[in-house]
Each structure stands twice: as C-alpha cells, then as structure tokens.
Amino acid sequence: MTSPVVEKKSKDALRLKKIIGLLARAYPDAHCELNFSSPLELLVATILSAQCTDVQVNLVTPALFKKYPTAAAYAAASLTDLEHDIRRIGLYRNKAKNIRAAAQLLVEKHHGVVPRTLEELIELPGVGRKTANVVLGNAFDINVGVVVDTHVARLVHRLGITKLVAPEKIEQILMKRVPRNQWTLFSHWLIWHGRRRCRARNPDCPNCELKTVCPSYPITK
C-alpha cells in the first residue's frame, strides 16, 4: 500500500510537470529581458537590475555599454563619472562602486573575461548567487541554479510548489524538482507569466494558462 506521503509527492511531481508543459507552451520565446550582447554586458546589466526594473535598466545601458566596451574601461573609470552615467538607476552609487570593483577583479584575475563558474563569479563585488545564475544561464547556457526573483518566489507560492520563503531555500526545492536542462527557462517562464498574466495585484485568473493546475484558482487575489 502506497503511503500518503509518497502519493502526495507523486501527485506534486505530476502537477509540476503539467505546469512546466503549460508554461513552455504559453511562452515559447521566453528569454532574459535585459538587453545585452556579451557576458560582460549581461553582468553589468544584472548588477544594475537589483531593486530596479529591466525596462529602466535597458534605458540606461545602450550609452553605458558604448562608453565602456571592456572590463578594463570600467576598471579605469572615474567613480564620479560612472555614478553619473547610471544616476537614473536606484542605488546608483553603490552599484557604480561594485561595477568598477568587479571590473578591476576581472582584469586582475581573469584577463578581463567574465568567468564561467559560479565560484568565480560570486567572488566579484556586487555579484551574489542570483546574479551569477543569470549570467551563467543566459550568457553561457550553463545551468548551475535557478534564478529566484520576486516573480518566481511569488508564483511558486500561488502555484503551491512550495511554502518556503527564503530565495535560497526556494532555489534548492526547484533544483530538486525541475529538470536541470530547464532551470534557466523555468525562471524565464515564471517571470514572463508573472509580468503578463499572474500579476501581484489583479491577476488575470479567468484567462490564465495555468488555471487547471493552479490551487489558487479562482480565489487568487
């Protein structure tokens, strides 16, 4: 006789598989919405995106990337100039400091090249696990973790995937339950769904692609 715990895990796994399938079908073109053309550009854009919208970051980065095309250029920049260049971004002073310091370390330790390992990336100032996951997954197509931003954290709760709150604990759960080759995409799918359908306020539940598998439907507020 199957135990209730095993049966629940089996049902949860099946429902998550359905959620993944529905998200993949709904957002076949899902991708990182920060504009970039190189790993360095994505690293800088991701540092800038902390507590800031991708839209706002994308307004600032074209001129920034043109002015500072290499890690050496950021490393040699005047902090005052760099602050001025990103002044439209929240927390711009701290972010300017981190970007310049990260670029200096890239030049000193990595010949100006963005490294391809989590361990090396999180050594850079201003780079935590989430930022490293963004860079590895989107610039190098390397899945070492799952990006857990506010959209992902909010949707895993609404979808009943986990009740955990801490991003690092949510990530560990998702890494266990989502196929590794879909870790980067799974974040994109949830982020796109959170922005386009399952908004924090006034979610579009009647037209939601996931309503058949969402435990919050139709009572999501």
Side-chain angles (χ1 to χ4, degrees), residues 143-158:
N143 289 294
V144 296
V146 181
V147 174
V148 178
D149 73 348
T150 53
H151 292 291
V152 173
R154 178 168 57 80
L155 264 65
V156 296
H157 294 155
R158 279 190 176 171

Side-chain angles (χ1 to χ4, degrees), residues 107-206:
V107 171
E108 293 168 7
K109 289 190 64 176
H110 305 286
H111 308 288
V113 177
V114 176
R116 293 176 175 240
T117 71
L118 178 70
E119 293 74 19
E120 291 172 313
L121 280 170
I122 61 177
E123 288 182 347
L124 301 175
V127 178
R129 184 178 175 90
K130 184 174 80 170
T131 295
N133 283 339
V134 171
V135 173
L136 291 170
N138 295 281
F140 300 120
D141 196 26
I142 298 173
N143 289 294
V144 296
V146 181
V147 174
V148 178
D149 73 348
T150 53
H151 292 291
V152 173
R154 178 168 57 80
L155 264 65
V156 296
H157 294 155
R158 279 190 176 171
L159 292 168
I161 296 172
T162 180
K163 294 180 180 179
L164 296 173
V165 175
E168 62 272 15
K169 292 184 178 180
I170 293 174
E171 182 185 10
Q172 291 303 311
I173 288 293
L174 295 178
M175 289 170 67
K176 291 177 181 177
R177 299 181 184 177
V178 176
R180 182 165 187 156
N181 66 338
Q182 294 179 320
W183 285 354
T184 298
L185 275 172
F186 187 73
S187 291
H188 291 325
W189 290 330
L190 286 183
I191 291 167
W192 277 47
H193 192 63
R195 288 173 176 169
R196 291 158 174 78
R197 186 74 76 197
C198 192
R199 296 174 290 274
R201 296 182 179 180
N202 301 317
D204 186 12
C205 293

